Amino acid sequence: MLKDSKAFSGFSVDDTEKAKTFYSDVLGLDVSDVPDMQGLLRLNITGGASILIYTKPNHSPATFTILNFPVVDIEKTVDELSARGVKFIIYNEENFKTNEKGIFLGGGPKIAWFKDPAGNFLSVLETDR
C-alpha cells in the first residue's frame, strides 16, 4: 500500500530560526524554508532525502538520537564542530564512558553525541565511507 510512497521524517523544535541558523551555519547543512508554510524548514540531506523541521509550542526534546551523521574521521569532525561552538556530551557512567572530547570508544563505531538548540540529540559516527 505505501511501497511507492516517498516517506520523509520530521522532528520538532521550539524555535525554527535558531534551528535554521544551527543546522545551516554551524553544521553546514542545506536548509530551506517550506514555501507557503510559515515556520516549517526542510533539511535537505545528501542522497535526496529531506527531513521536516517544525515548531511545536510545547516542544519536548527527543530523549533518543534523532539524526546520525556518518563521517570518515570522527576526531577531525568533533574538533571542527567544537570550534564552531558545538558542545559534545561527556558520559562518565560506570558502563558507558566517552573520552574528554565526548567520543565513545567502547566497541562498535566511534560515536559522539551533541544537542541542537532545542535539546534534540544528534550524533556523528565514524564509518569507512
Side-chain angles (χ1 to χ4, degrees):
M1 177 179 189
L2 297 176
K3 178 182 170 197
D4 296 322
S5 176
K6 293 187 178 183
F8 62 92
S9 182
F11 61 89
S12 71
V13 296
D14 54 359
D15 185 324
T16 50
E17 285 306 310
K18 284 182 183 176
K20 186 175 188 177
T21 299
F22 178 77
Y23 284 96
S24 63
D25 297 348
V26 177
L27 300 186
L29 300 172
D30 179 15
V31 180
S32 57
D33 294 310
V34 176
D36 301 322
M37 301 192 87
Q38 185 177 2
L40 294 179
L41 300 174
R42 182 173 290 121
L43 191 58
N44 303 297
I45 302 296
T46 299
S50 67
I51 299 168
L52 187 67
I53 301 174
Y54 56 94
T55 300
K56 186 176 175 191
N58 59 346
H59 167 75
S60 291
T63 58
F64 52 88
T65 308
I66 62 165
L67 286 174
N68 297 284
F69 296 98
V71 298
V72 174
D73 185 341
I74 195 166
E75 293 276 343
K76 180 180 176 184
T77 302
V78 166
D79 289 344
E80 289 175 358
L81 289 173
S82 293
R84 291 174 168 230
V86 173
K87 305 283 187 228
F88 285 87
I89 301 167
I90 306 294
Y91 291 100
N92 192 21
E93 298 172 19
E94 184 176 335
N95 296 316
F96 193 80
K97 296 181 189 300
T98 59
N99 66 14
E100 68 283 350
K101 291 184 178 184
I103 302 171
F104 178 73
L105 306 169
K110 295 177 184 176
I111 186 167
W113 292 270
F114 58 102
K115 293 182 181 182
D116 73 3
N120 295 311
F121 284 89
L122 313 173
S123 82
V124 290
L125 64 132
E126 190 169 275
T127 66
D128 57 357
R129 296 180 173 204

